[in-house]
Amino acid sequence: MEQYGSRPPNDGPRRGTPPSAPLPAQGRRRADGEHGPGGGPALGGVRRGPGGVRRPAPDGGPAARPVREARPAAGGGRLPNPRLTGLGTGLFCLAAMFLLGWLDQLLFGASPTVYGVLFLPVCVLTALWVRDGDVLTAPVVVPIAFTVGLLPVAEGGGGLLGSLMGLVTGLATQAGWLYAGTLAAGVIVLVRRVRWVRRRRRRS
């Protein structure tokens, strides 16, 4: 009876088959970084989605960057800065000075000094609030508004002629306030005009 001998297990490479080449050091590091124990993705690694797009690891490793929250722009406490047209500037200045003239008559007994002091901030606001294309309107509107607002303050006799004489007298005695307010408005307008021309030259 023929007996067959037991063959040892074939653990080594077959004869005639060349041994596989070892991986380079860079390839080993990349393989160890992308695959953790058990063949899964390593912690803090980078996964590749469809199309080769790199995605950060879900565990929030070094590859995942924190998203910055958008902060609201600070500016809630700014002063109002409207831009009025030439017509709007004239209406604002006339209405403001006429109202201040009546308040001066009711509260201070038609004091020309109080009226002149109140005229200065109105001139500044008029020159600041007019838009850039109509800045030259402010120095023209300011003296007209001063004259209109002076009607309740000026002292005159009865009738139209008396009111006109009181208005002329008020303009003569309060010419200093009129010149000061008009000069302030003119300086602000001149500065704004120069800046506006420079901006237009830079754009062109």
Side-chain angles (χ1 to χ4, degrees), residues 14-189:
R14 295 182 180 181
R15 295 179 181 180
T17 304
S20 58
L23 294 175
Q26 184 177 2
R28 292 178 183 175
R29 294 176 183 176
R30 186 177 302 175
D32 295 340
E34 294 182 356
H35 299 280
L43 296 178
V46 179
R47 292 183 177 180
R48 292 184 178 273
V53 181
R54 304 188 66 180
R55 297 180 180 178
D59 57 348
R65 298 180 180 179
V67 181
R68 297 181 179 179
E69 298 180 357
R71 298 180 179 179
R78 294 181 179 179
L79 295 176
N81 189 20
R83 283 290 177 260
L84 302 176
T85 62
L87 179 60
T89 303
L91 294 177
F92 162 74
C93 194
L94 290 172
M97 292 311 301
F98 189 76
L99 180 61
L100 291 176
W102 278 107
L103 291 177
D104 183 21
Q105 183 184 15
L106 294 176
L107 300 178
F108 301 99
S111 173
T113 304
V114 174
Y115 179 78
V117 172
L118 296 176
F119 174 66
L120 297 180
V122 174
C123 294
V124 174
L125 292 178
T126 303
L128 291 176
W129 286 357
V130 64
R131 65 183 183 180
D132 295 334
D134 297 332
V135 288
L136 299 180
T137 310
V140 179
V141 172
V142 163
I144 300 175
F146 183 86
T147 305
V148 173
L150 196 62
L151 290 174
V153 182
E155 297 179 357
L160 180 60
L161 185 59
S163 300
L164 290 177
M165 291 299 297
L167 181 61
V168 172
T169 304
L171 289 174
T173 55
Q174 304 302 321
W177 296 108
L178 176 60
Y179 294 153
T182 307
L183 180 62
V187 171
I188 296 174
V189 164

